[in-house]
Structures are given as structure tokens and as C-alpha cells.
Amino acid sequence: MTVHDLRDVLREHGDGPSPANPARHEEIAARIRRIRLRRRALGGGGVTAVAAAVALGVSLLPGSLSRPTEPRPATASEATLVPKQPADFLPERFTTSDGTKYRRIAITAIKRAGPTKVSVTIPVSGKPLDVGAVCAGPSTDAPSVSTGDGRSTSADFGGCSRSMQLRPLLVPAATSGSKLTLTFNTTVRGGGCLMRNGTCVPRKPTRGLWSLAVYEWTPPARPAEPPPLKALPDHAGEARLAETKTGVWPQNGSATFKVRGKVGFDTLCTGDLAGRLWFSFMANGHPAGGSGSCGVWEGGAFPSAVSEFSYPTNKTTTVKVTWKLLGTATNRPVRWSVGLYQK
Amino acid sequence: MADRGIYQDFVVTRSDRLLRTAYLLTHDWASAEDLLQESLAKAWFAWARVEEPEAYVRKVLVTTYTSWWRRRWRRELPSDDLPDTPASDPVSDDRDALWRAVGRLPARQRAVVVLRVDETMVKELHR
């Protein structure tokens, strides 16, 4: 055997027919969304799964609490990755798959140049409200949303995306029947940097074009039926799926596991508000330090984000996974499952 | 600087070549597809700063692969609907043994061997 033989063997295999994958674009776009979410989740102590986002040595702006897994009415797939006018993607009306009717009640924009802050005044009817955003990037400046007194009223948007992101708008009950002024602000609030040779090199801020809207929504008259859940993968690396618990929020708000040693948990949810369902862990009645938004599997590879914990091997620890939904969700239940993985 | 507008074209035109490199590293088409997608997704975030996209993605491919090897507990799993492994031409016993021997090498060593196959790859990697 010579080096020449080795080269021939590798060429032989490398030059063989490679399988086509027509879904590659969509699957890459889904990964981009997940990486973005993990990066935003940095700072959620205890969730070691987010470490995957550090592979490129990137540390980001302070984490947000939201996930861009939202209803997608006739918007371009992120997979297209080709800029279009963002205003095209904020429709005046649309209906999500669970039958919720959305109606736009305000629209505005923050451009690449000029003010980084815009305000809109909206009527508050008492119906639930969402804020929507699409962005033509690149952009490092996702807008925050606040009321006149400066209080944040919405979960933060993720990174710049041409797919519409919807976030719940939290309005005090006393505001009903009156008007409310909202301010969208892209002023950079944190210090992101790229890690190069152990040194934090500040990121150059880049302004994108953000088109922003406020939507009022009317839930379905009866509780929608969340789609059935796909089965969680039977393995996560070398760990096997030992136990799965499922439920439907809000009827079922938690799941309890008895564990020993090193374990991992992964989650999966369905329903139009699946991305707004957040989990947190309690171990023997005490906060265990991990939380995150439920995984949503829209296609491609399973969006694995295992939360790992190490517990004593000589005694049983009771781990309780508790669910909480951001915003209002009348008649919009979310089906969830939690998988326990053990090596 | 790479324009993000060309990212899609890059994925279309270069994926096949990069997938073959990923296959030489992983010895499995499903894992290769997984590795390729993960690398392309990571590259998207650095795209605006990348001078030579293919060399960059190749670097990410190798570092991601070695990092998977190290961690073993992988966060990304191959999709159920990835294409089936295609049939390959029969190879001689010696060649088959050599191919399998490469497959048993530790990740970094395997990466070195694979990249040595194409001097161009190495040059790109060291730029």
C-alpha cells in the first residue's frame, strides 16, 4: 500500500455518486434559525446545549426570551435568503392554522439610516395583541418594544429575518378601551464581540431595514387541536431515550421524572404558539437553573437542544419540568413532550 | 467580503463538492449531509466577513467534524428523511481494507488524510 493507493481509494469514494437532497435549503434555513435561538439563549445558565453556538467563538448581545417559530402567512421562506422588501411580509390580515384571525392595526419601519426609534399609537380593544417584524439585513440591531414609560412590553425579536416574527405584546389590563403608544427601538444596548484567539473583538454594528407592525388577534371560538407530536429521537448521541412524558398546555403544566446520575432532557411542541411555551427545571423542589423555549420541529433534522444535568448516582432526584406560556393563548393550546435521555 | 446575496448560489453550486469532503470525513452520507448543513448554517453567520467562502466552509466543516468527534454526545441528529446511502462500485479487498482503516483513524488524523488528497484543499485551508 502506498500513498498513491490511499489517494486513489479516497478519490474513488469521494468521486462516487453523492445523494441529492432537494430539501437542503430548507434544512439549512432551519438550522440557521436554531443556531440563532441558541445564541440568544446564551446566558440561560445550566443549559449546556447552547454551547454548540459557541463553535464559531461568537458571543452575542444579551439573550432574549423569544423564538421565531411563529405562524408564517404567505411569507418567503428564510431558506430563500434573498432580500425582498420587508413590508411585503407584513400582511394586513391573515389566519393561522389554528384558526386565529390576525388584523394589522399599525405599521411602521426603522430604516438603515435615520432615527433608530419610532413610535406608534394603537387603540386597545382588549383583544390580544402581537407585534410583528421582518427585516432585510444584515442587522445587529433587533428592536425592543416598550410603552411610553419605557417598560418593555414584548419578548425581544431574534435576529434579522425575512420571515415574519411575531411576539406577544403584553398590555396592562387597565389600558383596555384607551390608546397605547409603543416605541420600537433598535439602539444597540449590549456589547457583542467575536472571540479571536481568546480576545473579544467588538462586533461592528450593522443596521438593517426593519418593518414593524402591531396585530390584534381573535382566537378560534373553540380550543384548537394542536397537531400530533412526532416521536422524539430514540438517541441523542450516546444517550438513549429512557422516558417520555407528554401533555397539552394549559391543562397539563408540568412533568416529573425520577433520575440518577447524568441525564439530559429535550423537548418538542406543536401548535401555533409552540415557540412561546417555555420550560424550566426544578430538582427536589429547588430551581435547577435551566430553562428555554420548547423545540419546534418544522422539518429537516430534529432541533435537538438537550439540557444536561448531573445528579448523584447513589440516590434518586426528582426533576420537575414546568411549562409557562408567554402572553395570551386563549383557545390556542400547545401539545408538548419531554424526553429523558440517559447514557 | 462575501455578499449574503450569493449565499444561496454558493449552497447550490458548492454543496456537492463539500458533501463529498464531508463524506470522506464521516464515511456515511447521512452524517455527511448533517455535517455539511451544520457547517453551511454556521458559515451564514460569518458570511459578511468571509473573504473566500469555500475555503471558509471547508474549515468549518473540519472543525465541526472534529468537535463532534470530541463531544460524541451530538446535539444534531441526522434527519429521518435523508437520502438512502447509494450503492457504490465494488472495490478490491485491499482497497476496502484501506478505506475502513481510514475510517478507524481519530478525527484529526482522518481530516489530515482526507485533506491531503487534494492539495488545493490544503492550500485553501492554510490561507
Side-chain angles (χ1 to χ4, degrees), chain A residues 65-66 70 102 127-131 153-155 166-171 217 249-250 273 275-278 324-332 334:
Chain A
L65 295 176
S66 51
E70 308 290 353
Y102 279 75
K127 286 186 175 180
L129 298 171
D130 276 6
V131 285
T153 55
S154 167
L166 284 171
R167 298 288 178 268
L169 185 62
L170 311 173
V171 179
W217 54 266
W249 190 94
L273 299 185
R276 298 184 186 185
L277 197 61
W278 277 69
K324 181 184 176 186
L325 193 130
L326 296 178
T328 308
T330 309
N331 288 345
R332 306 182 75 184
V334 175

Side-chain angles (χ1 to χ4, degrees), chain A residues 8 10 20 38 47 63 116 144-145 150 225 239 249 297 340:
Chain A
D8 280 352
L10 291 178
R38 288 176 196 158
V47 184
T116 56
S144 63
V145 189
E225 182 73 17
W249 190 94
W297 194 357
L340 166 67

Side-chain angles (χ1 to χ4, degrees), chain A residues 16 18 27 31 304 308 343, chain B residues 16 20 34 37 73 75:
Chain A
S18 63
E27 290 167 3
R31 281 172 194 260
S304 180
E308 293 176 43
K343 287 186 180 174
Chain B
D16 186 62
R20 288 166 197 273
D34 196 22
Q37 289 187 14
W73 182 311
R75 305 305 190 275

Side-chain angles (χ1 to χ4, degrees), chain B residues 106-117:
Chain B
R108 283 182 179 279
Q109 289 180 23
R110 198 192 302 186
V112 169
V113 169
V114 167
L115 295 178
R116 282 288 294 176
V117 169

Side-chain angles (χ1 to χ4, degrees), chain A residues 288-303:
Chain A
S291 67
S293 61
C294 190
V296 180
W297 194 357
E298 293 178 318
F302 173 68

Side-chain angles (χ1 to χ4, degrees), chain A:
Chain A
M1 282 287 149
T2 63
V3 174
H4 185 74
D5 292 332
L6 175 62
R7 186 170 292 197
D8 280 352
V9 167
L10 291 178
R11 284 231 163 99
E12 204 170 78
H13 283 84
D15 289 345
S18 63
N21 179 9
R24 184 174 291 137
H25 266 292
E26 274 186 17
E27 290 167 3
I28 292 171
R31 281 172 194 260
I32 290 171
R33 285 195 293 274
R34 290 200 300 275
I35 291 173
R36 192 174 279 147
L37 289 168
R38 288 176 196 158
R39 290 178 177 185
R40 277 190 283 131
L42 282 173
V47 184
T48 51
V50 298
V54 191
L56 284 178
V58 179
S59 59
L60 298 174
L61 298 170
S64 67
L65 295 176
S66 51
R67 182 183 183 108
T69 316
E70 308 290 353
R72 293 192 173 187
T75 61
S77 162
E78 195 167 7
T80 62
L81 301 170
V82 176
K84 292 184 179 177
Q85 285 301 313
D88 296 342
F89 303 146
L90 290 172
E92 196 172 339
R93 291 173 188 273
F94 62 91
T95 303
T96 55
S97 59
D98 65 5
T100 303
K101 295 184 186 308
Y102 279 75
R103 184 175 72 90
R104 197 177 68 202
I105 58 174
I107 188 164
T108 184
I110 298 176
K111 299 179 179 173
R112 294 182 197 275
T116 56
K117 208 189 276 192
V118 293
S119 295
V120 292
T121 299
I122 55 168
V124 180
S125 65
K127 286 186 175 180
L129 298 171
D130 276 6
V131 285
V134 292
C135 167
S139 169
T140 54
D141 51 357
S144 63
V145 189
S146 60
T147 51
D149 58 8
R151 284 188 306 175
S152 175
T153 55
S154 167
D156 288 350
F157 290 108
C160 181
S161 170
R162 280 167 290 281
S163 291
M164 181 167 68
Q165 301 181 57
L166 284 171
R167 298 288 178 268
L169 185 62
L170 311 173
V171 179
T175 315
S176 184
S178 61
K179 293 192 172 188
L180 179 69
T181 298
L182 293 174
T183 300
F184 297 92
N185 186 353
T186 60
T187 307
V188 176
R189 291 159 292 158
C193 64
L194 294 165
M195 294 303 291
R196 284 187 188 145
N197 300 325
T199 307
C200 176
V201 180
R203 299 177 77 205
K204 186 181 173 187
T206 310
R207 288 185 62 174
L209 169 58
W210 288 88
S211 191
L212 304 153
V214 183
Y215 285 97
E216 183 180 81
W217 54 266
T218 307
R222 294 181 177 180
E225 182 73 17
L229 286 157
K230 293 181 189 174
L232 287 160
D234 56 3
H235 280 81
E238 292 176 355
R240 65 177 177 77
L241 180 62
E243 190 177 356
T244 304
K245 298 212 168 171
T246 61
V248 177
W249 190 94
Q251 293 93 321
N252 312 114
S254 64
T256 302
F257 298 85
K258 304 279 188 188
V259 302
R260 284 173 185 241
K262 189 175 181 183
V263 296
F265 293 95
D266 214 341
T267 60
L268 189 59
C269 288
T270 60
D272 280 341
L273 299 185
R276 298 184 186 185
L277 197 61
W278 277 69
F279 60 82
S280 59
F281 297 98
M282 302 276 282
N284 290 338
H286 301 287
S291 67
S293 61
C294 190
V296 180
W297 194 357
E298 293 178 318
F302 173 68
S304 180
V306 177
S307 303
E308 293 176 43
F309 299 93
S310 287
Y311 296 111
T313 53
N314 58 351
K315 61 178 181 180
T316 301
T317 300
T318 302
V319 177
K320 185 176 182 184
V321 183
T322 304
W323 295 102
K324 181 184 176 186
L325 193 130
L326 296 178
T328 308
T330 309
N331 288 345
R332 306 182 75 184
V334 175
R335 196 180 301 280
W336 55 259
S337 70
V338 186
L340 166 67
Y341 289 88
Q342 286 179 313
K343 287 186 180 174

